[in-house]
Amino acid sequence: PCWRVEDFVVAQECTRCSSFQAKTIAECSPTGFIEKITCATSKRDEFKSCRSAVMEAHVFWRFVGTMMCVATIFAVLVVCRQRVLDRKALEKVRKQIESI
């Protein structure tokens, strides 16, 4: 591709590939998004795979939400486990006091 060896100008911003483009343009397959570029010296128009900022933001916030849910679940498990251990310790102390 000319954009690897030449300077280029983005002719069309990063957009989602249509179903027809996904079947006909190989650059659509890695990310599902392409941008049209024009190489400076050879003046050729080509397509380049790209990443959409909106898609990246969506994936990021999904990851953050998942991690918050997992953290909440484990925090609840820690609190429950601590209560069980506290009860066992109090029971042990009570039995030791009763045996005196």
Side-chain angles (χ1 to χ4, degrees):
C2 67
W3 53 269
R4 291 193 182 199
V5 293
E6 303 175 23
D7 290 333
F8 62 89
V9 177
V10 177
Q12 182 183 7
E13 290 296 320
C14 192
T15 56
R16 182 177 295 276
C17 296
S18 67
S19 60
F20 176 73
Q21 287 174 326
K23 294 175 186 173
T24 57
I25 301 174
E27 285 80 7
C28 281
S29 59
T31 61
F33 289 85
I34 56 170
E35 61 186 357
K36 187 176 182 180
I37 59 169
T38 304
C39 295
T41 54
S42 64
K43 302 289 185 199
R44 290 185 356 199
D45 288 338
E46 291 189 7
F47 290 104
K48 179 179 176 236
S49 183
C50 60
R51 293 190 174 272
S52 167
V54 174
M55 179 189 71
E56 293 290 328
H58 180 72
V59 169
F60 171 76
W61 287 113
R62 182 184 299 168
F63 172 76
V64 169
T66 303
M67 291 301 107
M68 293 296 279
C69 291
V70 169
T72 302
I73 289 168
F74 280 108
V76 168
L77 287 174
V78 166
V79 168
C80 292
R81 177 72 176 147
Q82 188 64 47
R83 287 181 180 171
V84 168
L85 292 174
D86 287 344
R87 265 191 238 116
K88 285 183 179 181
L90 286 173
E91 185 67 26
K92 187 176 181 181
V93 169
R94 187 182 63 76
K95 284 183 181 177
Q96 286 177 348
I97 292 174
E98 285 177 354
S99 67
I100 298 178

